[in-house]
Amino acid sequence: MKISSPIAMTFSGPPRRAGGIVRYLLLSVGIIGILFYLRRTSPTFNSVHQPVAVTPEHLPSIPGPQNPVRPDVQPTGPEKAVPQPEKPLTPTEPVKPSEPVSKAPKPAHAIDTLIKDANNNTGKERRGRHPPPGFDLWYKFAEENGAVMVEDFFDQIYHDLAPFWGLPASTMRKEAHDYEMTINVRNHNASTTSGWFWTRIWQNMTQTIEHLLPDMDIALNAMDEPRIVVPWEEIDKFMEIERTTKTMPPPTEVISDFGSLGDDPDPEVEVREKNWLETRPFWKVAAAGCHPDSLARNADEQTDFSNTPQISLAHTIPHTFKGYVSNYTLSTDFCHQPDLQGLHGMMIDPLSVSSTQTLFPLFGGSKLPTNNEILLPAPMYWNNEERFSGGDDHGKPWLEKMDKVIWRGVATGGRNKPSNWKGFQRHRFVAMTNATQVSAAENWRQVPKNWAMPTSSYNLAAQQENRLGEWTGEWADTGFVDLMCVVPQANGSCNYTSPSFSLRPGMKMADQFDRKFLPDIDGNSFSGRYRGFLMSTSLPIKATIFREWHDSRLVAWKHFVPMDNRFMDFWGIMEYFLGYEGENVKIEGHDKEAENIAMAGQEWANKVLRREDMQIYVLRLLLEYARISDDHRDKMGWVGDLL
C-alpha cells in the first residue's frame, strides 16, 4: 500500500521499517539528555544571548585607542575577557533593556581635552656640548636668585644661536662691533654710545650681570619689527655645520677661559654688505625662511588688500583640535598658513621695514618664526612700566571680577590705509567683538567689512538662536583709543575707519584687571602687555605670530588660553568659559577652569618671569654667545664637574 505522508513525500524510496524508527527515537532521547547535562554543568552555555560589554569596537562613536578622549574606556581582547554574570540568564528571567547596553558618556568638550593635555606636558632636550665657560658662576647666580631650574627654559637660546656655528667667529665679532647700535662689554663694564631709550634699558639690564660677563659686543635692533630673514636653504647649510661640529672634547683638552677684546677687534676682517631692503608687502621676505616645499613658499603673493579678507579654517588643521589651538607654537608659524599674508599688518604693510638676508648676530625683543635675530627680554618687560605691567596692582580675587572681556589699544599693526586696513589684526578683532556689527551681520542687514561669522562647526548656542550679537554685547568691551590714520587726524579719528569704529576712553591696565578675560593681540610687532597680563589675576587669551624669550617657559591651556590668529575660535572660547543662557538653550560655563588657568599662570609667572629670571636667561645667553664668538669655540667649555 502506498503511503502518503510528509516523510514519504520528502524522502523517496520504500517506507522505513518500524525498528528503524525506534532506533531514531532512542538516539533523539540520548541527544536531549546530553544537552540537558551540559546546560546544568556549564555556566556559559545558554539558550539566550549573553549581555556584551560596550566597547569602542561595538560603538565606533565612543572614543577608542585611535582617539583616546576617554582613557578609561578600553577594548576587550584575549587578555581582557568579558566578565560573565554570576547566575546565567534563563528564558524565565527576561533581559531588561537597560542592562545589556550602558549609557554612552557625554562627549568631552574640546577645551576640556586641551586643558588636560596641557597639565600632563613634560620634556627635556640634550645640548650635545659641554656647558660654556663660566657655567658654574651662572649656576651659582641662578641658585642664589631662586631660579626654577628647568633646562627646557633655555631652549630658545640654542635655537637662536645654532646657525652662528656656521659663521667664522671673527666675522661675528667684527660685524657685531661695527653695527650702528651696540652695548660693549670690556673688563666687566657694559657701556654704550647710543641714547636710544631701548638701548639704555638693555644696557641697564646688562649692567646688573656685567661682573660675570667676558668681553663682547652686542648689536641691537632698535626697530619694532625684526630685520633678518636668511633663506631656508642657507640656514640649512649653517645648521649642517652646527650638527657636524658638535662635539664634547675630553675634559683635559677643554679651554675654560674666554679671550679679551680690544677697542677695535679684528681690523683685518671685512664687514659684509647687508643690502637692506624695504620690501612691502613683507610676505615674500618673511616666507623665504620657510621650507621650499611649504605652503607659504609656494602660495601666490597677495597684492590687493582692499576687499573683505577671506577668513577660512582650512589652514588651521595642523595646529588645532576641533577648532581650538592644540599646538600653540605651530599656530604662530605662518609657513603652513599662507592666508595669514592678508590677515596681519606685519605682512600687509609694516610700520617700518629694513631687512637683510645676511646672517649676523643681531639681538632684539621679538621676531617672526623665520627671523634670525637673537632674542632678549623686551625692554618694557625689564623696565616694568605701569602701562605695560599694571604696576603693583595685579587685580582683585577672581570671584570679585566682572565676567567681561576687556581690550583697549591703538590701531597699530602697521601702516593702515584706505586700501589695506581690513586685513589688520586689531581692526578685525575689535570689529568682530562689536555687538552692533555682529547683530547686523547675523540679521543680514550688513555684510561684515573685515571679519567673518563663526562656522557651524563651533555649534554656538547664541548663533543658533540668532542672538550672537546680543550675547557678545553682554560680555565684550573692546575698542580703540586712537585710530592711527596713515596721515594723523584730530583727536585720534580717521576718515576711512571712523565709520566702522568709535573711539573709546583709555583704561589703565590695573583697571582692566577688574575683568576676568584679557585678549592680547599683536601690534606693530609683539604685544608688550603679555607679561603684565600673565602676572595678573585675570586670564590672558593670546594670539600672535611672534616669538619671545619666554616661550619655552609657558604652556598653553595651563598658563594662558591660546587663540588662532583668525580669531574664529574666540566666541567658542567665551561660550566654554562663560556659558550661555537663551530662550531655549542653556550651556553651563566653566568658570572654575578659567580661574584655575589664570591662577596657575600668575603663580608660574611670579616664579619664572621675574626680573631675576631675565638676568639668569641673559647671562646664560651671553656666555653661549661669547663662546661662539671665540676662535677656540670648538674646544671651549666648563668641565669642572668632570675633572
Side-chain angles (χ1 to χ4, degrees), residues 626-639:
R627 170 165 61 175
I628 301 178
S629 302
D630 196 290
D631 291 328
H632 303 290
R633 61 191 183 185
D634 290 326
K635 289 194 172 183
M636 295 187 74
W638 177 80
V639 290

Side-chain angles (χ1 to χ4, degrees), residues 122-129 150-160 162 239 242 246 552 620:
T122 59
K124 186 174 182 179
E125 178 183 346
R126 297 180 63 182
R127 306 301 175 195
R129 284 188 172 90
V150 178
E151 181 61 19
D152 291 6
F153 288 178
F154 306 98
D155 285 353
Q156 190 67 51
I157 292 174
Y158 296 90
H159 177 274
D160 291 348
M239 291 302 297
E242 190 272 341
K246 186 176 289 187
S552 300
R620 174 86 173 259

Side-chain angles (χ1 to χ4, degrees), residues 338-373:
D339 57 325
L340 291 186
Q341 65 177 302
L343 299 176
H344 202 286
M346 177 69 202
M347 300 300 181
I348 297 170
D349 196 349
L351 182 64
S352 51
V353 179
S354 180
S355 65
T356 180
Q357 292 189 340
T358 302
L359 182 67
F360 75 101
L362 181 65
F363 290 75
S366 70
K367 63 179 180 178
L368 298 169
T370 56
N371 282 121
N372 304 108
E373 276 88 344

Side-chain angles (χ1 to χ4, degrees), residues 392-397 401 510 513-514 536-538 602:
D392 296 329
D393 187 351
H394 299 295
K396 300 176 180 178
K401 293 175 181 284
F513 294 162
D514 289 341
S536 77
T537 55
S538 296
Q602 183 193 43

Side-chain angles (χ1 to χ4, degrees), residues 26 54 56 112 124 182 185 254 259 287 341 389 404 532-533 563 595:
L26 291 173
V54 179
D112 285 321
K124 186 174 182 179
T182 61
V185 181
V254 171
Q341 65 177 302
S389 68
K404 299 280 187 180
F533 284 0
M563 178 167 60
E595 180 184 9

Side-chain angles (χ1 to χ4, degrees), residues 304-484:
D304 183 2
F305 303 96
S306 60
N307 299 315
T308 300
Q310 297 298 309
I311 301 176
S312 164
L313 300 181
H315 297 299
T316 68
I317 295 173
H319 63 259
T320 59
F321 172 68
K322 297 184 178 180
Y324 299 97
V325 173
S326 57
N327 187 324
Y328 175 69
T329 302
L330 195 60
S331 76
T332 68
D333 189 341
F334 54 82
C335 289
H336 68 285
Q337 305 178 76
D339 57 325
L340 291 186
Q341 65 177 302
L343 299 176
H344 202 286
M346 177 69 202
M347 300 300 181
I348 297 170
D349 196 349
L351 182 64
S352 51
V353 179
S354 180
S355 65
T356 180
Q357 292 189 340
T358 302
L359 182 67
F360 75 101
L362 181 65
F363 290 75
S366 70
K367 63 179 180 178
L368 298 169
T370 56
N371 282 121
N372 304 108
E373 276 88 344
I374 303 166
L375 289 177
L376 290 168
M380 58 280 291
Y381 292 157
W382 175 258
N383 217 33
N384 214 30
E385 295 178 52
E386 190 278 335
R387 66 189 178 115
F388 293 113
S389 68
D392 296 329
D393 187 351
H394 299 295
K396 300 176 180 178
W398 182 264
L399 295 179
E400 296 178 18
K401 293 175 181 284
M402 291 180 270
D403 289 328
K404 299 280 187 180
V405 165
I406 181 69
W407 188 89
R408 288 288 186 278
V410 178
T412 55
R415 301 190 306 176
N416 75 79
K417 305 172 184 176
S419 60
N420 70 11
W421 68 268
K422 294 177 182 177
F424 278 50
Q425 65 276 10
R426 290 190 168 186
H427 292 76
R428 292 190 293 108
F429 183 77
V430 172
M432 61 169 273
T433 50
N434 180 280
T436 302
Q437 291 198 39
V438 177
S439 291
E442 69 179 335
N443 291 306
W444 299 96
R445 296 194 306 270
Q446 178 179 304
V447 176
K449 294 181 181 179
N450 66 330
W451 57 280
M453 293 285 283
T455 66
S456 59
S457 62
Y458 288 103
N459 197 31
L460 298 173
Q463 190 174 19
Q464 294 171 6
E465 292 196 329
N466 206 44
R467 292 186 62 247
L468 186 62
E470 182 182 347
W471 176 65
T472 301
E474 294 174 4
W475 47 261
D477 183 0
T478 64
F480 290 122
V481 299
D482 189 326
L483 292 177
M484 285 291 288

Side-chain angles (χ1 to χ4, degrees), residues 124 135 138-144 146-154 604 607-608 613 616 620:
K124 186 174 182 179
F135 182 81
W138 169 83
Y139 189 90
K140 180 181 178 182
F141 180 80
E143 203 170 40
E144 290 174 346
V148 176
M149 303 296 277
V150 178
E151 181 61 19
D152 291 6
F153 288 178
F154 306 98
W604 193 238
K607 291 180 178 178
V608 303
D613 297 305
I616 294 163
R620 174 86 173 259

